[in-house]
Amino acid sequence: MSKKLAKTRSRQLSPQVRRALLGAGACVLAVAGGWWAYFTFTTIAPPPVEQATAPEVVAFLGNPRGFSRMSYDQREQFLTQVFSGKFASGPPRAELNEALRQMPSSEREVLMDATVEVAKVRFMEHARKYKSLPRTQQAAYVDNAVRHFSQMQMQLAGTGGADNFGESFKDLAPSTSDEITKAIVSRTSARERAEAQQFVDALAARYKELSAKH
């Protein structure tokens, strides 16, 4: 249809029809805008861990409107419920890790990013607390942090092998020292790295001491 013909037909439309068409267009835009707002700003509720199946838990973990929309405290609590409760070991843990392995890569990236964000925030909290303490209290604080990190690692690793949470994310997680360094740099600012350096050095020294004893 030519532009001239379209203009002619437009002029032939009655004011009532034009208003109706404009109203319909506004309704379509309103509906589309509502859906966009819904998917952008709403958060789905977490499943009750003790009653949920492994696929239901994993679906929530990888949903962009699920686990990643929680606050840092809520994310930490939810992961603790998952890995210390029903899915701590045995067949439920195997089912959970099998569901994790079957996650689409996009969902695994959502989960990985959301989990790393929590780890970064908590680590920076530890680093700031360590710097604020008197020297006489810093060694004890580092020992407590080492125990805390070890407990978290044991929860995620389970009994090892197929139970290991990290096995499902080997292709996303850094493995070499260069990859780990790049991952840290990409997720932190120069100011944050400088702020955490003392705590990092203290942890590294303590881990080295503990390794030498075993």
Side-chain angles (χ1 to χ4, degrees):
M1 180 185 299
S2 68
K3 292 183 179 179
K4 184 176 180 180
L5 182 57
K7 289 181 179 178
T8 301
R9 291 193 175 182
S10 176
R11 286 195 297 268
Q12 291 173 349
L13 294 176
S14 67
Q16 293 84 357
V17 172
R18 285 201 295 271
R19 282 196 295 269
L21 290 175
L22 288 172
C27 289
V28 170
L29 289 175
V31 171
W35 275 107
W36 176 83
Y38 175 77
F39 282 109
T40 302
F41 299 112
T42 58
T43 300
I44 62 174
V49 175
E50 294 303 315
Q51 289 79 43
T53 64
E56 287 172 342
V57 170
V58 170
F60 176 76
L61 289 172
N63 193 315
R65 295 189 297 113
F67 178 70
S68 62
R69 292 280 180 87
M70 287 177 146
S71 69
Y72 296 133
D73 287 344
Q74 290 172 331
R75 291 183 215 175
E76 197 170 39
Q77 291 167 5
F78 187 77
L79 287 179
T80 299
Q81 290 175 359
V82 170
F83 291 103
S84 298
K86 175 181 176 180
F87 299 99
S89 60
R93 180 57 170 259
E95 292 171 4
L96 178 70
N97 280 338
E98 179 60 28
L100 286 168
R101 283 190 286 273
Q102 293 179 10
M103 289 178 82
S105 59
S106 59
E107 293 183 8
R108 284 192 293 157
E109 288 178 4
V110 168
L111 172 55
M112 176 65 78
D113 288 343
T115 304
V116 170
E117 282 179 358
V118 176
K120 172 190 167 181
V121 168
R122 293 294 180 248
F123 191 84
M124 291 304 302
E125 288 174 352
H126 277 294
R128 293 179 185 119
K129 178 65 175 179
Y130 174 81
K131 286 183 67 175
S132 70
L133 291 172
R135 285 186 177 276
T136 55
Q137 298 179 24
Q138 288 180 336
Y141 188 83
V142 169
D143 281 344
N144 287 333
V146 168
R147 283 193 291 270
H148 176 66
F149 295 151
S150 297
Q151 289 171 358
M152 289 176 58
Q153 186 177 17
M154 289 174 63
Q155 286 180 357
L156 296 178
T159 58
D163 275 358
N164 193 332
F165 175 72
E167 285 294 308
S168 303
F169 297 85
K170 286 190 298 185
D171 56 336
L172 292 178
S175 56
T176 67
S177 59
D178 285 345
E179 289 175 349
I180 292 172
T181 300
K182 289 178 182 177
I184 293 172
V185 170
S186 67
R187 294 177 183 276
T188 56
S189 66
R191 180 178 179 180
E192 287 172 330
R193 292 192 294 276
E195 192 174 15
Q197 191 62 54
Q198 289 184 21
F199 185 54
V200 170
D201 291 343
L203 279 177
R206 187 56 178 148
Y207 274 115
K208 186 176 181 179
E209 290 175 3
L210 293 173
S211 298
K213 294 179 180 180
H214 296 290

